[in-house]
PDB file of all heavy atoms in Angstrom:
ATOM      1  N   MET A  90     -11.160 -10.322 -51.640  1.00 95.00           N
ATOM      2  CA  MET A  90     -11.594  -9.103 -50.952  1.00 95.00           C
ATOM      3  C   MET A  90     -11.207  -9.178 -49.471  1.00 95.00           C
ATOM      4  O   MET A  90     -10.716  -8.209 -48.892  1.00 95.00           O
ATOM      5  CB  MET A  90     -13.107  -8.914 -51.106  1.00 95.00           C
ATOM      6  CG  MET A  90     -13.652  -7.674 -50.419  1.00 95.00           C
ATOM      7  SD  MET A  90     -13.067  -6.104 -51.131  1.00 95.00           S
ATOM      8  CE  MET A  90     -13.981  -6.072 -52.672  1.00 95.00           C
ATOM      9  N   ASN A  91     -11.407 -10.341 -48.863  1.00 96.00           N
ATOM     10  CA  ASN A  91     -11.052 -10.510 -47.456  1.00 96.00           C
ATOM     11  C   ASN A  91      -9.557 -10.298 -47.227  1.00 96.00           C
ATOM     12  O   ASN A  91      -9.157  -9.673 -46.242  1.00 96.00           O
ATOM     13  CB  ASN A  91     -11.484 -11.889 -46.937  1.00 96.00           C
ATOM     14  CG  ASN A  91     -13.010 -11.986 -46.843  1.00 96.00           C
ATOM     15  OD1 ASN A  91     -13.704 -10.980 -46.844  1.00 96.00           O
ATOM     16  ND2 ASN A  91     -13.513 -13.202 -46.765  1.00 96.00           N
ATOM     17  N   ARG A  92      -8.745 -10.808 -48.159  1.00 96.00           N
ATOM     18  CA  ARG A  92      -7.292 -10.605 -48.047  1.00 96.00           C
ATOM     19  C   ARG A  92      -6.942  -9.123 -48.139  1.00 96.00           C
ATOM     20  O   ARG A  92      -6.112  -8.621 -47.383  1.00 96.00           O
ATOM     21  CB  ARG A  92      -6.550 -11.384 -49.141  1.00 96.00           C
ATOM     22  CG  ARG A  92      -6.303 -12.842 -48.770  1.00 96.00           C
ATOM     23  CD  ARG A  92      -5.329 -13.506 -49.721  1.00 96.00           C
ATOM     24  NE  ARG A  92      -5.842 -13.585 -51.092  1.00 96.00           N
ATOM     25  CZ  ARG A  92      -6.639 -14.551 -51.520  1.00 96.00           C
ATOM     26  NH1 ARG A  92      -7.027 -15.515 -50.716  1.00 96.00           N
ATOM     27  NH2 ARG A  92      -7.061 -14.557 -52.783  1.00 96.00           N
ATOM     28  N   LEU A  93      -7.589  -8.434 -49.077  1.00 95.00           N
ATOM     29  CA  LEU A  93      -7.355  -6.999 -49.234  1.00 95.00           C
ATOM     30  C   LEU A  93      -7.733  -6.252 -47.953  1.00 95.00           C
ATOM     31  O   LEU A  93      -6.967  -5.435 -47.441  1.00 95.00           O
ATOM     32  CB  LEU A  93      -8.166  -6.450 -50.421  1.00 95.00           C
ATOM     33  CG  LEU A  93      -8.158  -4.932 -50.596  1.00 95.00           C
ATOM     34  CD1 LEU A  93      -6.760  -4.433 -50.975  1.00 95.00           C
ATOM     35  CD2 LEU A  93      -9.166  -4.506 -51.651  1.00 95.00           C
ATOM     36  N   LEU A  94      -8.904  -6.541 -47.419  1.00 96.00           N
ATOM     37  CA  LEU A  94      -9.374  -5.868 -46.198  1.00 96.00           C
ATOM     38  C   LEU A  94      -8.416  -6.126 -45.040  1.00 96.00           C
ATOM     39  O   LEU A  94      -8.094  -5.225 -44.265  1.00 96.00           O
ATOM     40  CB  LEU A  94     -10.789  -6.348 -45.837  1.00 96.00           C
ATOM     41  CG  LEU A  94     -11.885  -6.020 -46.857  1.00 96.00           C
ATOM     42  CD1 LEU A  94     -13.183  -6.726 -46.503  1.00 96.00           C
ATOM     43  CD2 LEU A  94     -12.104  -4.513 -46.982  1.00 96.00           C
ATOM     44  N   GLN A  95      -7.956  -7.364 -44.952  1.00 96.00           N
ATOM     45  CA  GLN A  95      -7.003  -7.755 -43.903  1.00 96.00           C
ATOM     46  C   GLN A  95      -5.702  -6.972 -44.040  1.00 96.00           C
ATOM     47  O   GLN A  95      -5.187  -6.423 -43.064  1.00 96.00           O
ATOM     48  CB  GLN A  95      -6.727  -9.250 -44.053  1.00 96.00           C
ATOM     49  CG  GLN A  95      -6.163  -9.908 -42.824  1.00 96.00           C
ATOM     50  CD  GLN A  95      -7.273 -10.479 -41.958  1.00 96.00           C
ATOM     51  OE1 GLN A  95      -8.306 -10.873 -42.470  1.00 96.00           O
ATOM     52  NE2 GLN A  95      -7.065 -10.506 -40.666  1.00 96.00           N
ATOM     53  N   SER A  96      -5.175  -6.906 -45.268  1.00 95.00           N
ATOM     54  CA  SER A  96      -3.889  -6.234 -45.481  1.00 95.00           C
ATOM     55  C   SER A  96      -3.989  -4.738 -45.180  1.00 95.00           C
ATOM     56  O   SER A  96      -3.022  -4.117 -44.779  1.00 95.00           O
ATOM     57  CB  SER A  96      -3.398  -6.459 -46.914  1.00 95.00           C
ATOM     58  OG  SER A  96      -4.129  -5.650 -47.819  1.00 95.00           O
ATOM     59  N   MET A  97      -5.186  -4.181 -45.364  1.00 95.00           N
ATOM     60  CA  MET A  97      -5.400  -2.759 -45.088  1.00 95.00           C
ATOM     61  C   MET A  97      -5.621  -2.488 -43.606  1.00 95.00           C
ATOM     62  O   MET A  97      -5.764  -1.348 -43.196  1.00 95.00           O
ATOM     63  CB  MET A  97      -6.638  -2.255 -45.854  1.00 95.00           C
ATOM     64  CG  MET A  97      -6.452  -2.162 -47.333  1.00 95.00           C
ATOM     65  SD  MET A  97      -5.523  -0.678 -47.726  1.00 95.00           S
ATOM     66  CE  MET A  97      -5.156  -0.988 -49.426  1.00 95.00           C
ATOM     67  N   GLY A  98      -5.731  -3.543 -42.810  1.00 96.00           N
ATOM     68  CA  GLY A  98      -5.957  -3.362 -41.381  1.00 96.00           C
ATOM     69  C   GLY A  98      -7.429  -3.168 -41.034  1.00 96.00           C
ATOM     70  O   GLY A  98      -7.769  -2.724 -39.939  1.00 96.00           O
ATOM     71  N   PHE A  99      -8.314  -3.504 -41.959  1.00 97.00           N
ATOM     72  CA  PHE A  99      -9.744  -3.280 -41.728  1.00 97.00           C
ATOM     73  C   PHE A  99     -10.323  -4.201 -40.665  1.00 97.00           C
ATOM     74  O   PHE A  99     -11.356  -3.908 -40.094  1.00 97.00           O
ATOM     75  CB  PHE A  99     -10.537  -3.423 -43.041  1.00 97.00           C
ATOM     76  CG  PHE A  99     -10.617  -2.142 -43.818  1.00 97.00           C
ATOM     77  CD1 PHE A  99      -9.548  -1.269 -43.861  1.00 97.00           C
ATOM     78  CD2 PHE A  99     -11.773  -1.806 -44.506  1.00 97.00           C
ATOM     79  CE1 PHE A  99      -9.619  -0.079 -44.576  1.00 97.00           C
ATOM     80  CE2 PHE A  99     -11.856  -0.622 -45.223  1.00 97.00           C
ATOM     81  CZ  PHE A  99     -10.784   0.241 -45.261  1.00 97.00           C
ATOM     82  N   ASP A 100      -9.636  -5.327 -40.408  1.00 95.00           N
ATOM     83  CA  ASP A 100     -10.139  -6.224 -39.366  1.00 95.00           C
ATOM     84  C   ASP A 100     -10.066  -5.571 -37.987  1.00 95.00           C
ATOM     85  O   ASP A 100     -10.742  -5.989 -37.053  1.00 95.00           O
ATOM     86  CB  ASP A 100      -9.379  -7.560 -39.390  1.00 95.00           C
ATOM     87  CG  ASP A 100      -7.866  -7.374 -39.416  1.00 95.00           C
ATOM     88  OD1 ASP A 100      -7.375  -6.371 -39.984  1.00 95.00           O
ATOM     89  OD2 ASP A 100      -7.167  -8.234 -38.869  1.00 95.00           O
TER      90      ASP A 100
END
Side-chain angles (χ1 to χ4, degrees):
M90 180 66 72
N91 291 342
R92 276 192 296 276
L93 173 67
L94 296 171
Q95 200 92 30
S96 76
M97 289 282 169
F99 272 37
D100 49 329

